[in-house]
């Protein structure tokens, strides 16, 4: 039989046993001491040092055993929950999936309201910008804060990830009149600061996901196109309008939709600076705009005056008049969606194409079914304060299909993530 204990460990154990038996007045301890070859140096004084040692070891062993059993039970429970979660995420109907009342994570660290968000196109990173002048980068899958980016001196108003595949960058803009470019591959070092706007920079967007051109809009009523690799402004478009609050590039990067305080939207050809169409119909300032993905075109075309003949660019705008309006590329209004009680702050088309989601100062997320004439099919209480922005994350490819990630920002300084 293999010995589990070294001779020294065995000797210590034997002495502890002798001391324990002596303490409970077992008469044969002298015989046992001889059989265990414990010599005469093990006197009464030495025995006193070993008394209680065996009981302490025993109780420690029992305590560790109970703790181990508790950890095994907890581990088993977590494995069951994880398997259940993976099953739900990989098998839910991604085309019809909509957020429910409880988010997967609530991300809290900002000290003031959330103004903007952006998902990294490859990694499970979500950047959030705030009125506290910081950008925070989160691991949205685990709900953990990864880092805080400081550099802007006033509230951060816009964020977007983009750039060539091997040079993905995070762009941010602020009321401090600057645009900053951050390098995620170098611990988010601030690699460039772009200056040129004369007032608060309201929003930034990459013209194409993998390109190096960035478009920005500002309270100075201008639209600027930047090359992030050189830092140069390659085109400036003077809208001769009022404060431009949001911008959305077309899917091919040829056009931009800009909206703002003039209560109108404009579709621009950014290469020439020409106006393609004007979006007329809102009765108050326009807060946000979004270009529809190709998956939504069949539903939007069916809403238009020419039904299935509609092609090309489709746009949604949200206004302080509490309405959402849907437009075609000629600037024709094809549908007005009414249901929110106050300002519309953010819009996002569902990646599956069937739904349009909106967030508002009325603290709700509303889901509009484009296949049912834009009918409101779901309302979710999003937070205890105004909802300020909404973004879809990258589509997750899994063995059981696809799943989606949705983030909502709120004036209560938190970001909520649904998966």
């Amino acid at each position: 039989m293999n010995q589990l204990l070294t001779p020294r460990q065995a000797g210590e154990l034997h002495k502890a046993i002798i001391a324990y038996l002596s303490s409970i007045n077992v008469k044969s301890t002298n015989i046992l001491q001889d059989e265990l070859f414990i010599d005469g140096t093990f006197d009464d004084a030495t025995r006193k040092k070993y008394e209680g040692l065996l009981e302490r070891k025993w109780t420690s062993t029992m305590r560790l055993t109970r703790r181990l059993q508790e950890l095994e039970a907890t581990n088993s429970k977590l494995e069951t929950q994880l398997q259940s979660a993976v099953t739900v995420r990989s098998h839910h109907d991604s085309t019809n999936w909509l957020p429910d009342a409880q988010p997967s994570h609530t991300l809290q660290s900002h000290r003031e309201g959330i103004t903007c968000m952006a998902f990294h196109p490859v990694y499970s990173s979500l950047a959030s910008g705030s009125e506290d002048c910081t950008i925070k980068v989160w691991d949205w899958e685990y709900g953990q804060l990864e880092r805080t980016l400081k550099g802007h001196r006033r509230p951060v108003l816009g964020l977007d990830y983009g750039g060539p595949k091997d040079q993905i960058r995070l762009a941010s803009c602020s009321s401090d009149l600057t645009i900053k470019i951050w390098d995620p591959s170098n611990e988010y070092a601030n690699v460039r600061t772009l200056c040129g706007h004369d007032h608060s920079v309201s929003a930034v967007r990459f013209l194409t996901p993998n390109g190096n051109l960035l478009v920005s809009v500002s309270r100075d009523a201008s639209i600027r196109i930047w090359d992030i690799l050189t830092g140069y402004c390659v085109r400036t478009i003077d809208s001769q309008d009022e404060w431009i609050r949001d911008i959305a590039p077309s899917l091919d990067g040829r056009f931009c939709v800009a909206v703002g305080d003039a209560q109108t939207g404009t579709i621009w050809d950014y290469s020439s600076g020409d106006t393609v169409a004007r979006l007329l119909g809102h009765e108050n300032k326009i807060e946000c705009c979004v270009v529809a993905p190709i998956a939504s075109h069949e539903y939007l075309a069916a809403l238009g005056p020419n039904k299935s003949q509609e092609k090309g660019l489709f746009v949604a705008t949200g206004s302080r008049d509490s309405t959402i309006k849907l437009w075609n590329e000629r600037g024709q209004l094809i549908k007005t969606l009414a249901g929110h009680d106050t300002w519309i702050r953010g819009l996002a088309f569902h990646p599956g194409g069937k739904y349009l989601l909106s967030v508002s100062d009325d603290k709700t997320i509303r889901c509009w079914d484009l296949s049912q004439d834009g009918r409101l099919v779901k309302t979710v209480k999003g937070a205890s304060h105004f909802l300020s922005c909404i973004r879809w994350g990258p589509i997750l490819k899994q063995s059981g299909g696809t799943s989606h990630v949705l983030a909502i920002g709120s004036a209560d300084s938190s970001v909520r993530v649904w998966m």
Side-chain angles (χ1 to χ4, degrees), residues 378-395:
K378 190 171 187 178
T379 300
V380 178
K381 178 72 172 178
S384 60
H385 213 311
F386 302 154
L387 301 183
S388 54
C389 48
I390 178 171
R391 291 292 284 264
W392 285 99
I395 297 175

Side-chain angles (χ1 to χ4, degrees), residues 283-359:
E283 298 176 358
N284 205 331
K285 298 173 182 179
I286 305 175
E287 287 283 334
C288 53
C289 60
V290 63
V291 171
I294 293 175
S296 295
H297 285 194
E298 62 174 301
Y299 304 111
L300 293 168
L303 297 176
N306 298 322
K307 303 302 180 183
S308 60
Q309 297 178 17
E310 294 281 351
K311 294 182 180 179
L313 184 70
F314 291 95
V315 180
T317 56
S319 168
R320 293 185 183 182
D321 64 13
S322 306
T323 68
I324 300 162
K325 293 185 182 292
L326 306 176
W327 316 81
N328 64 20
E329 65 180 5
R330 294 186 298 278
Q332 294 176 313
L333 177 64
I334 59 177
K335 189 70 179 179
T336 297
L337 308 178
H340 281 292
D341 299 327
T342 184
W343 297 2
I344 313 296
R345 291 292 193 175
L347 297 169
F349 281 95
H350 192 291
K354 187 177 176 182
Y355 301 99
L356 174 67
L357 276 66
S358 56
V359 294

Side-chain angles (χ1 to χ4, degrees), residues 17-35 47:
I17 292 171
I18 296 297
Y20 171 71
L21 294 176
S22 298
S23 68
I24 59 175
N25 299 316
V26 174
K27 305 297 186 183
S28 56
T29 54
N30 291 333
I31 299 173
L32 181 59
Q33 185 171 332
D34 292 338
E35 290 184 356
R47 185 181 290 110

Side-chain angles (χ1 to χ4, degrees), residues 54-347:
L54 195 63
E55 295 98 315
R56 291 195 298 273
K57 294 291 186 184
W58 176 261
T59 54
S60 295
T61 300
M62 293 303 296
R63 187 166 58 251
L64 289 172
T65 300
R66 284 196 300 270
R67 181 59 179 156
L68 181 60
Q69 291 171 343
E70 292 171 358
L71 291 173
E72 288 176 342
T74 301
N75 185 57
S76 177
K77 182 179 179 180
L78 290 173
E79 285 182 347
T80 301
Q81 292 176 349
L82 180 60
Q83 290 172 358
S84 174
V86 170
T87 300
V88 170
R89 283 189 62 187
S90 60
H91 291 93
H92 67 59
D93 182 358
S94 61
T95 302
N96 292 297
W97 178 84
L98 293 171
D100 53 25
Q102 293 299 322
S104 305
H105 299 296
T106 298
L107 312 179
Q108 296 177 313
S109 180
H110 282 291
R111 299 189 307 277
E112 295 187 43
I114 308 300
T115 55
C116 51
M117 300 174 301
F119 281 93
H120 193 289
V122 179
Y123 303 122
S124 59
S125 295
L126 169 66
S128 59
S130 168
E131 292 176 354
D132 65 13
C133 308
T134 69
I135 301 163
K136 292 185 182 289
V137 181
W138 312 82
D139 184 319
W140 53 258
E141 190 167 12
Y142 294 100
Q144 296 176 343
L145 177 64
E146 292 185 338
R147 66 181 69 242
T148 298
L149 310 182
K150 298 181 179 180
H152 285 295
R153 299 188 304 277
R154 299 196 66 187
V156 180
L157 301 180
L159 291 169
D160 201 26
Y161 279 100
K165 188 174 181 180
D166 57 344
Q167 298 183 62
I168 293 175
R169 299 289 186 263
L170 173 65
S172 64
C173 65
S174 167
S175 298
D176 65 10
L177 317 190
T178 68
I179 299 164
K180 290 185 179 292
I181 308 299
W182 313 81
D183 184 357
S185 66
N186 186 24
E187 299 185 345
Y188 281 87
N190 179 200
V191 293
R192 287 193 187 280
T193 297
L194 311 179
C195 301
H197 282 292
D198 298 325
H199 214 310
S200 297
V201 188
S202 310
V204 285
R205 290 288 187 275
F206 282 89
L207 281 174
T208 58
N210 299 318
N212 58 307
L213 294 182
L214 181 77
V215 59
S216 63
V217 293
S218 167
R219 191 171 178 176
D220 66 12
S222 72
I223 302 169
R224 291 176 180 264
I225 312 294
W226 310 81
D227 185 329
I228 64 164
L229 300 183
T230 65
Y232 293 133
C233 178
V234 297
R235 176 171 289 277
T236 300
I237 301 172
D238 184 0
S239 71
Q240 297 183 347
D241 227 328
E242 299 181 48
W243 186 347
I244 305 177
R245 292 183 176 272
D246 199 12
I247 191 159
S250 62
L251 302 180
D252 59 7
R254 293 175 55 207
F255 305 106
C256 291
V257 183
V259 298
D261 284 10
Q263 302 183 24
T264 63
T266 306
I267 302 177
W268 298 89
D269 182 330
Y270 93 87
S271 60
S272 65
D274 295 334
T275 299
V276 176
R278 300 278 282 181
L279 313 179
L280 304 172
H282 280 295
E283 298 176 358
N284 205 331
K285 298 173 182 179
I286 305 175
E287 287 283 334
C288 53
C289 60
V290 63
V291 171
I294 293 175
S296 295
H297 285 194
E298 62 174 301
Y299 304 111
L300 293 168
L303 297 176
N306 298 322
K307 303 302 180 183
S308 60
Q309 297 178 17
E310 294 281 351
K311 294 182 180 179
L313 184 70
F314 291 95
V315 180
T317 56
S319 168
R320 293 185 183 182
D321 64 13
S322 306
T323 68
I324 300 162
K325 293 185 182 292
L326 306 176
W327 316 81
N328 64 20
E329 65 180 5
R330 294 186 298 278
Q332 294 176 313
L333 177 64
I334 59 177
K335 189 70 179 179
T336 297
L337 308 178
H340 281 292
D341 299 327
T342 184
W343 297 2
I344 313 296
R345 291 292 193 175
L347 297 169

